[in-house]
Amino acid sequence: MSDLLLLALIGGLTLLLLLTLLAFAGYSGLLAGVAVSAGSPPIRNVTVAYKFHIGPYSETGRLFTESCSVSPKLRSIAVYYDNPHMVRPEKCRCAVGSILSEGEESPSPELIRLYQKFGFKVFSFPTPSHVVTATFPYTTTLSIWLATRRVHPALDAYIKERKLCAHPRLEIYQQDQIYFVCPLARQGDFYVPEVKETERRSRGPVEANDTQVDGTGADTMSDSSSVSLEVGPGSRETSAATLSPGVSSRGWDDGDTHSEHSYSESGASGSSFEELDLEGEGPLGEPKLSPEAEPLGASKWPREPSTPEKGEE
């Protein structure tokens, strides 16, 4: 009789543990819906302190922790430039850090010097006219793991279905929400200088090998020796000539950010986002984006979750 009672007790405790784990997963966003839409961006003209990283995205957790340790109250941000489905993990590029200011407000010089003291660089991102965006609950560290495996496939499906040119990918950690943002315009302004530098270095040997000397002794370049950075006529609301002054002044033609590494290759030929049924949304803290499309099944990102600890936000 005592053996049966002991087994019943063990079974009850096991069931209670399973229910607790299920409740925790549900609270972390296991059952949360993922709504992807196109519209106005949730952030405007942000200045960020960042560190550039080349390598597996699973190794970026230390960068989140480091940026949060400098100023725990600031929002965290990550910009992922490469699709891990198409690029080897050791070559994936991203920038991770904190948002110093947003809108017309300028970051304080003391805050900038503090981050620079710890090796961070400062860069500004503009306000694109339209973005593809989605949100996911951020209640526990498990929320991060769930978000990377549910939101990114939904974004991939949305962008591919509509043949959009949307890159790079931003993750913004705001209180109890994770905002996923893919610019549809002014993408070049979201590429930090280190990205262009890596492209310049990688293109050098390729261009040298592709350069051929014709019979008259003149150099002729192969059509495939360089990659055009110009925007297709139907891919965005703006052409390459109407990109912000920041793009041109930073040498937009010098560094190719549209290589096989870039998220710009994830979709097919970019179509105009004027064809989308855009929603009216505001910045972070204002009414959330309305759902526009149900997420479709897609292969998951192989990226392991890596963000600051929940308590440090």
Side-chain angles (χ1 to χ4, degrees), residues 33-249:
V34 178
V36 181
S37 62
S40 300
I43 57 173
R44 297 176 179 175
N45 298 328
V46 296
T47 299
V48 303
Y50 74 94
K51 283 191 175 183
F52 186 66
H53 172 76
I54 300 179
Y57 289 154
S58 59
E59 297 177 355
T60 58
R62 60 179 180 82
L63 298 180
F64 280 104
T65 302
E66 188 175 350
S67 64
C68 284
S69 64
V70 178
S71 184
K73 293 183 179 180
L74 296 181
R75 289 171 291 174
S76 295
I77 185 172
V79 187
Y80 299 101
Y81 297 106
D82 300 308
N83 188 335
H85 286 310
M86 302 169 62
V87 181
R88 294 195 300 271
E90 63 271 15
K91 290 190 175 183
C92 288
R93 302 163 298 175
C94 66
V96 177
S98 300
I99 297 178
L100 303 182
S101 65
E102 181 179 0
E104 301 300 326
E105 177 187 2
S106 299
S108 67
E110 294 80 9
L111 187 59
I112 293 178
R113 285 195 295 267
L114 178 62
Y115 271 90
Q116 289 177 338
K117 177 183 176 182
F118 290 95
F120 286 83
K121 297 182 179 180
V122 178
F123 197 74
S124 295
F125 296 147
T127 304
S129 57
H130 296 87
V131 299
V132 175
T133 186
T135 60
F136 196 82
Y138 181 35
T139 53
T140 68
T141 53
L142 180 61
S143 301
I144 302 163
W145 188 88
L146 293 171
T148 58
R149 282 153 180 78
R150 297 191 58 199
V151 179
H152 287 292
L155 288 172
D156 289 339
Y158 186 94
I159 293 170
K160 182 177 180 180
E161 178 184 352
R162 290 159 178 78
K163 299 181 179 179
L164 298 174
C165 180
H167 62 92
R169 291 207 177 168
L170 285 73
E171 292 180 5
I172 302 161
Y173 295 82
Q174 164 83 1
Q175 296 179 355
D176 60 349
Q177 293 285 324
I178 306 175
Y179 290 80
F180 296 81
V181 180
C182 305
L184 287 168
R186 302 185 69 176
Q187 291 100 328
D189 282 334
F190 291 86
Y191 283 79
V192 296
E194 290 87 345
V195 176
K196 298 176 183 178
E197 180 61 28
T198 58
E199 291 292 346
R200 189 179 298 111
R201 290 198 303 264
S202 63
R203 279 202 327 175
V206 175
E207 291 183 345
N209 292 335
D210 288 343
T211 302
Q212 298 177 351
V213 180
D214 60 15
T216 62
D219 288 344
T220 58
M221 294 296 292
S222 169
D223 292 339
S224 61
S225 63
S226 62
V227 182
S228 174
L229 293 179
E230 294 186 2
V231 180
S235 64
R236 307 179 183 89
E237 68 168 0
T238 56
S239 66
T242 59
L243 288 173
S244 72
V247 178
S248 300
S249 64

Side-chain angles (χ1 to χ4, degrees), residues 284-303:
L284 292 177
E286 295 183 5
K288 298 178 182 178
L289 301 169
S290 301
E292 180 172 303
E294 291 296 326
L296 303 177
S299 57
K300 296 181 179 179
W301 266 28
R303 178 166 70 86

